Amino acid sequence: MPGLRASPPALLLLLALALPRGSLAVQQLEPGSRSAAAAARVALQYRNFQAGSLGGLRALGQVRKATLKNIPESGHKYYLQFSTEDYRTGEDAGNCLATVLFPKKKSRPVVSIKCSHTKDQKEIQEEDNKFYQRIRHQSKPITASNIPDSYGNIEPALEPVWALAVAGSSSIMWEKSTETLGYFLAQVKSARQWMRKDDFIEFDYTVLLHEMPTQEIISCHMRLTWLPGQPLKVKHFCAPEGHGAEQGSGAESGSAAGPAAEKGASF
Amino acid sequence: MRLLVLLAALVAAATCTETFFGHQVLRVVPQSDEELQKVQELQELEHLQLDFWLEPRKLGLPVDIRVPFRSLQAVKVHLEASGLSYSVMIEDVQALLNEEKAEMLRSSRHRSVDTATFNYEAYHTIDEIYNFMDMLVAENPNLVSKLEIGRSTENRPLYVLKFSTGGTNRPAVWIDTGIHSREWVTQASGVWFAKKIVEDHANNEGVASILETMDIFLEIVTNPDGFAYTHSTNRMWRKTRSKHAGAICVGVDPNRNWDAGFGDAGASSSSCSETYHGPYPNSEPEVKSIVDFVKSHGNIKAFVSIHSYSQLLLYPYGYTETPAADEQELHEVSAKAVAALSSLYGTKFTYGSIITTICKCGGSPKTPRSQNHPSHWPNIPWHSCTVEVRFYTL
């Protein structure tokens, strides 16, 4: 019957009209847009944490392509293509394809990411081993503060401690990120190593995260363990905001306004 | 405006670095013609990007080679396969450079006696910057003068440098840096701008042509109380240091204190917030003094404010989506500025109006507005921009 044969397309059309408006809404974003860059950064924070590698840490290069899809009842999903740089050196590190879903309900972003690389795995592993050895070689537990210092300098000897903090705090930043709130690691306020009998490296950190666009400085405490080739284990607790935390301009610390920050490390 | 283009170039120049992480310097001492030849072969292999600090010359003389990290494996294999022994002179070139730089900075802590020996690559204290300003004026009395436009909450002088080749109340450009005290790279940029303006004038290039018909006003330490606080107590301090009646916390975000869209979204009414707008517009003397200066001058044609970080060049408006009256021209000028900036080291800046660039929120209904800048004062026909400098640090 001709009427029935004609119905499927009509049915589809009806369905499309019946569905809530915007459910299939897909939006091309300007590659230069803030929200695309922010989503790409979240994807990289996720990767920097999951990869558990200090030599493989990456920063965002340029977003090449970005699409935003509204998934009703679920959230906003970003589809991204971007270039990356080596976190330390700024050298081109390869390109990534990622999706980032910011769930409607308050939970951490769901990320899938796949990247090409300019360094091969062996090179990265060697760097990780180098970092590992540099930390393990110390006879006393490492303690340090203010990395980088006020002038933006990182003592070469403290680089592994800093790289470990970057990898660990990436997990905090990824988990806290929303479609409108993003994070950068501003400074490692303090680091203290716990010696272990096994091969794992363990550290306590206080890190300062710069929250955008609120400009707030969030202080987080994290405890992490690491072994090259293994995923990082991170536990964290961030000070609730507006709580008289000394960092940032937010509030004044009590009468004990801190003295000028001490630099340097003791090994 | 050409000044904007040149400013962009100044900023890019201030932020370029090359690095040598993991590079090693190897020493080989060829003892036979064969060995010498093997070493010379390495010079042919351009893809290895070797840098010969001591070229191969005669037998028995050392050959020093800086090897990038990526090529280390290949070079060492080549040397070993050729039976050439080598020693590692420098294990990590970058580490050595960092040490040297730290040493330089340590030694540069002594006060310089003129702007020629001033260290533009280091961050300075407020005293050092104020001293720099006095030296610059003393060295260039016919071009530069220092004005005090007011006092901060803690009674620090608010100094503005005036660059002028003459005339009376010429049309002028205003530039401020350091309004957010923790954005140290901006005060440092301001110091460098001052020097560059003087140099350009001396060499009759760059901004020299602008100075023929216009004046430049430059406020380097726009928030001196905050800046002093970042040195003495808290590197992350952003706001002023005022304490208003009834406020729990100290400080107002000076860049939410202007009288345009005051109190709109993007600013906070909580004194403990980093973006606290203050009890009323121009409550902060740091802000009021600029307002008073600009209004009484009456002939400011361009207003540029430098912040960090984000690599953005922004123009009005931040508090409304209504395009600025001369939006087209602002957009064109920004495009040229960004292109000029990029031409030096490839640094990429994004540009656009504040409301579209800072918040391209994919259609979300609440678009936070983040700036209620004097640039947004209505009825003043001028260009105005905010430049967000590079640096992944505050």
Side-chain angles (χ1 to χ4, degrees):
Chain A
M1 281 153 52
L4 272 174
R5 248 178 283 141
S7 67
L11 210 62
L12 278 172
L13 185 60
L14 270 172
L15 267 171
L17 290 170
L19 282 166
R21 187 167 296 174
S23 61
L24 303 171
V26 175
Q27 220 187 328
Q28 278 288 115
L29 298 174
E30 290 288 325
S33 83
R34 266 312 181 123
S35 50
R41 237 170 249 127
V42 172
L44 274 180
Q45 282 161 358
Y46 172 80
R47 185 186 191 273
N48 281 341
F49 163 56
Q50 289 289 328
S53 158
L54 307 195
L57 289 170
R58 300 199 196 192
L60 178 64
Q62 301 284 327
V63 175
R64 305 249 183 258
K65 216 167 157 218
T67 315
L68 169 59
K69 193 165 168 179
N70 175 38
I71 305 182
E73 305 316 309
S74 188
H76 288 169
K77 191 165 182 181
Y78 289 76
Y79 297 77
L80 307 154
Q81 204 179 318
F82 51 90
S83 65
T84 62
E85 305 176 341
D86 183 292
Y87 198 95
R88 269 192 325 155
T89 68
E91 289 176 1
D92 172 40
N95 300 315
C96 298
L97 280 176
T99 66
V100 180
L101 168 67
F102 293 106
K104 224 176 167 99
K105 304 197 176 84
K106 292 270 174 239
S107 62
R108 63 196 189 186
V110 181
V111 177
S112 77
I113 178 168
K114 206 139 169 55
C115 300
S116 67
H117 38 238
T118 53
K119 280 198 268 194
D120 62 51
Q121 273 309 107
K122 200 151 162 271
E123 232 182 291
I124 296 177
Q125 265 166 37
E126 264 176 41
E127 281 181 42
D128 282 352
N129 284 328
K130 260 174 102 172
F131 277 121
Y132 179 76
Q133 292 305 329
R134 284 169 72 182
I135 297 177
R136 289 285 288 188
H137 268 149
Q138 311 306 323
S139 48
K140 286 180 297 186
I142 300 171
T143 61
S145 58
N146 295 318
I147 318 171
D149 64 18
S150 288
Y151 301 85
N153 298 316
I154 299 177
E155 267 178 68
L158 290 177
E159 247 193 82
V161 176
W162 172 76
L164 195 54
V166 172
S169 57
S170 295
S171 83
I172 307 177
M173 296 191 286
W174 154 55
E175 289 192 5
K176 284 174 79 65
S177 292
T178 67
E179 200 170 359
T180 51
L181 280 179
Y183 298 88
F184 295 83
L185 175 61
Q187 194 182 41
V188 174
K189 201 71 190 145
S190 70
R192 184 229 251 263
Q193 184 182 13
W194 295 101
M195 301 306 256
R196 288 172 68 113
K197 295 201 172 68
D198 60 19
D199 291 332
F200 282 83
I201 287 177
E202 183 165 355
F203 269 88
D204 251 345
Y205 282 103
T206 303
V207 294
L208 298 181
L209 304 183
H210 182 207
E211 183 180 75
M212 297 281 236
T214 63
Q215 295 287 347
E216 299 297 329
I217 303 287
I218 317 281
S219 179
C220 298
H221 175 253
M222 80 179 167
R223 182 79 158 233
L224 61 76
T225 57
W226 181 59
L227 188 65
Q230 303 263 349
L232 272 158
K233 287 217 164 43
V234 180
K235 285 205 177 85
H236 74 262
F237 174 77
C238 295
E241 282 174 60
H243 233 243
E246 201 214 51
Q247 283 74 28
S249 303
E252 185 74 304
S253 63
S255 50
E262 289 164 26
K263 300 199 316 189
S266 60
F267 281 1
Chain B
M1 275 235 43
R2 218 175 329 151
L3 179 64
L4 193 59
V5 169
L6 287 160
L7 259 181
L10 291 175
V11 162
T15 57
C16 152
T17 44
E18 199 194 337
T19 58
F20 302 91
F21 288 97
H23 294 211
Q24 290 190 344
V25 176
L26 308 180
R27 169 165 285 185
V28 186
V29 188
Q31 301 291 359
S32 71
D33 283 328
E34 257 171 15
E35 292 189 353
L36 186 58
Q37 206 196 348
K38 287 284 173 192
V39 175
Q40 281 163 339
E41 272 169 25
L42 278 174
Q43 287 187 296
E44 312 293 299
L45 304 173
E46 277 187 35
H47 65 280
L48 292 176
Q49 302 215 307
L50 304 179
D51 174 18
F52 281 76
W53 286 9
L54 282 176
E55 309 257 327
R57 295 154 295 158
K58 297 199 309 203
L59 297 183
L61 290 181
V63 178
D64 287 350
I65 317 167
R66 176 177 63 80
V67 184
F69 183 76
R70 190 151 295 142
S71 308
L72 269 177
Q73 179 93 310
V75 169
K76 288 180 175 175
V77 162
H78 176 96
L79 292 173
E80 281 156 24
S82 318
L84 274 164
S85 59
Y86 61 88
S87 52
V88 180
M89 298 265 303
I90 301 177
E91 269 221 34
D92 187 340
V93 176
Q94 189 60 38
L96 190 60
L97 288 173
N98 289 346
E99 264 174 56
E100 277 182 6
K101 195 165 183 187
E103 182 52 54
M104 258 176 57
L105 289 176
R106 276 193 286 275
S107 62
S108 79
R109 292 280 92 178
H110 333 300
R111 190 151 291 195
S112 51
V113 294
D114 56 36
T115 64
T117 55
F118 189 85
N119 186 355
Y120 297 93
E121 290 183 17
Y123 289 132
H124 290 272
T125 62
I126 191 171
D127 285 342
E128 287 165 359
I129 295 179
Y130 280 9
N131 184 53
F132 161 82
M133 285 165 48
D134 289 338
M135 292 192 300
L136 194 70
V137 168
E139 292 165 19
N140 305 279
N142 295 325
L143 179 66
V144 194
S145 53
K146 186 176 86 175
L147 316 170
E148 184 175 319
I149 62 169
R151 295 239 151 190
S152 67
T153 293
E154 292 176 351
N155 207 32
R156 288 186 175 83
L158 301 166
Y159 289 135
V160 171
L161 290 179
K162 176 182 179 183
F163 300 85
S164 178
T165 57
T168 320
N169 196 237
R170 280 181 173 173
V173 177
W174 167 277
I175 306 170
D176 63 73
T177 56
I179 194 170
H180 288 140
S181 38
R182 67 189 181 198
E183 296 168 9
W184 278 16
V185 73
T186 69
Q187 294 94 337
S189 297
V191 167
W192 199 73
F193 292 165
K195 181 63 174 167
K196 191 70 167 68
I197 293 169
V198 163
E199 281 182 352
D200 276 9
H201 178 258
N203 299 325
N204 199 23
E205 59 184 14
V207 302
S209 54
I210 290 171
L211 286 168
E212 281 169 21
T213 52
M214 295 181 78
D215 294 341
I216 301 175
F217 291 101
L218 171 63
E219 187 174 7
I220 300 175
V221 189
T222 305
N223 178 4
D225 295 347
F227 191 50
Y229 199 70
T230 57
H231 278 276
S232 67
T233 311
N234 184 348
R235 176 62 174 81
M236 302 296 177
W237 195 264
R238 166 185 163 89
K239 301 188 290 184
T240 61
R241 292 292 300 165
S242 60
K243 183 89 162 52
H244 292 281
I248 304 171
C249 294
V250 174
V252 167
D253 184 342
N255 204 28
R256 302 289 186 279
N257 192 240
W258 307 95
D259 193 7
F262 180 84
D264 271 3
S268 170
S269 51
S270 158
S271 67
C272 297
S273 162
E274 294 281 28
T275 54
Y276 176 47
H277 48 57
Y280 52 86
N282 303 334
S283 61
E284 304 310 287
E286 294 83 356
V287 170
K288 182 157 195 318
S289 54
I290 299 177
V291 173
D292 291 344
F293 176 81
V294 168
K295 282 187 167 169
S296 68
H297 184 280
N299 211 9
I300 306 286
K301 293 299 179 190
F303 196 106
V304 184
S305 188
I306 313 283
H307 293 251
S308 69
Y309 49 84
S310 301
Q311 282 177 227
L312 301 169
L313 204 165
L314 308 165
Y315 52 79
Y317 291 104
Y319 64 91
T320 172
E321 291 190 10
T322 310
D326 44 5
E327 140 102 22
Q328 173 135 352
E329 190 176 353
L330 284 167
H331 201 80
E332 280 172 23
V333 168
S334 303
K336 288 187 182 167
V338 162
L341 202 156
S342 185
S343 70
L344 269 172
Y345 304 109
T347 322
K348 285 192 169 61
F349 271 59
T350 311
Y351 63 99
S353 71
I354 292 164
I355 200 168
T356 57
T357 311
I358 287 197
C359 190
K360 253 207 168 134
C361 289
S364 70
K366 281 216 179 75
T367 13
R369 288 102 188 200
S370 59
Q371 315 259 338
N372 58 348
H373 205 260
S375 55
H376 311 154
W377 298 349
N379 306 322
I380 299 183
W382 60 1
H383 283 28
S384 119
C385 308
T386 300
V387 181
E388 289 260 9
V389 182
R390 192 209 319 221
F391 273 12
Y392 242 32
T393 55
L394 293 161

